[in-house]
Amino acid sequence: MSENLFYLLTVLPALPANAGDPVQVDDALARIREESDSRLLYLADLLEVESEIERCALQFFVMGGRDFQPRLSERLPESFVETFMSFYNSREAEWLTSVYAAWFDLMIDTGRRTGSKLLCHWACWEYSLRTLLRIERMKAAGRSGADLDNALPAFMKDFSEFPDHAPLVESWKSFSEPLKAEKFLDQARIEYLRKAATQFSFSLDELIAYMLELRIHNRYARLNPDRGRKILEEVTTL
């Protein structure tokens, strides 16, 4: 596998320095899937779930498409699929909270099974950030928000400590335009991943960091500004 990772990481297209800059997303994903490694295929499927969550939020909840059918991999655990499919009988905010919690739980489980500390730490970093942002949005809307410890699910409390996101969140609050604020956060996410991964290590963690960053660029490749605003209004509830 190490030789395959060396080859793969040398042929994958370089990722841009900034969120929103163009990148050949489809080519990168195709090359990763060509490896036919079960761990990479499962992780690729798991990462693509995020776009399906966004697609469901837009098409089912925002646009009212009651015939919406998600595209979920057969590799995903049945328990997660059941959680995802509960959108038919759930309120939007409750469904988004539960499906993202289940998604991050799978990320942590995958990191432990593959021996990727980076994936586990990223899941903790990202989920705690999203939870803090959700609390801030609740406060801005005049609703009382729980503190971080009470808002996090049980599986996240296995970590001994959480990242200090306070400076990042304070900077995010200074933006008046949602898209600029989200782009600022995405740039911070990219910088976190690049610091967390050892460049030219040709390790599984380096490839996972690449895949996690790729999904950020992929989101910009899929969206136009008008559609992006609609999704942000719905999905950023978590």
Side-chain angles (χ1 to χ4, degrees), residues 6-217:
F6 177 86
Y7 171 76
L8 183 58
L9 284 164
T10 55
V11 299
L12 286 172
L15 296 177
N18 301 309
D21 290 349
V23 62
Q24 295 175 315
V25 173
D26 292 339
D27 289 350
L29 289 173
R31 287 185 180 275
I32 290 171
R33 288 190 176 279
E34 283 174 2
E35 288 301 304
S36 299
D37 181 276
S38 59
R39 295 177 300 174
L40 299 184
L41 290 172
Y42 178 76
L43 184 57
D45 290 343
L46 193 53
L47 289 173
E48 288 180 355
V49 167
E50 189 175 29
S51 64
E52 284 303 292
I53 295 174
E54 295 174 357
R55 202 167 68 89
C56 182
L58 177 65
Q59 295 190 15
F60 184 81
F61 290 106
V62 178
M63 301 175 65
R66 298 302 161 181
D67 58 347
F68 171 78
Q69 292 292 330
R71 298 187 291 263
L72 299 175
S73 169
E74 295 180 353
R75 298 184 184 90
L76 297 173
E78 184 177 341
S79 58
F80 176 80
V81 174
E82 289 178 359
T83 299
F84 193 109
M85 298 305 293
S86 68
F87 71 86
Y88 281 114
N89 303 305
S90 301
R91 293 197 296 184
E92 180 182 9
E94 294 174 353
W95 177 76
L96 284 171
T97 299
S98 65
V99 77
Y100 271 120
W103 187 64
F104 277 101
D105 194 8
L106 274 182
M107 286 290 186
I108 292 172
D109 179 67
T110 302
R112 288 171 175 162
R113 287 190 293 104
T114 59
S116 174
K117 291 183 179 180
L118 183 145
L119 185 55
C120 292
H121 291 164
W122 168 83
C124 177
W125 188 93
E126 178 67 24
Y127 195 90
S128 57
L129 173 61
R130 293 191 188 197
T131 302
L132 280 174
L133 295 174
R134 178 160 59 96
I135 292 171
E136 290 296 330
R137 291 187 183 101
M138 291 173 66
K139 291 178 180 178
R143 293 177 290 167
S144 59
D147 58 36
L148 177 61
D149 186 61
N150 291 329
L152 289 170
F155 70 87
M156 288 295 296
K157 296 178 182 179
D158 292 340
F159 293 90
S160 58
E161 60 183 30
F162 296 105
D164 180 13
H165 291 305
L168 181 60
V169 171
E170 286 302 312
S171 296
W172 165 79
K173 288 164 63 177
S174 68
F175 288 87
S176 58
E177 296 183 31
L179 282 178
K180 288 185 178 179
E182 188 67 14
K183 196 167 186 178
F184 166 77
L185 290 175
D186 282 340
Q187 192 61 40
R189 290 172 168 120
I190 290 172
E191 291 172 4
Y192 166 80
L193 287 167
R194 294 193 173 184
K195 289 178 181 177
T198 302
Q199 192 176 21
F200 305 123
S201 64
F202 305 108
S203 64
L204 182 61
D205 271 353
E206 185 179 0
L207 180 58
I208 287 175
Y210 181 99
M211 294 172 74
L212 290 170
E213 182 180 338
L214 182 65
R215 73 185 234 291
I216 298 173
H217 299 292

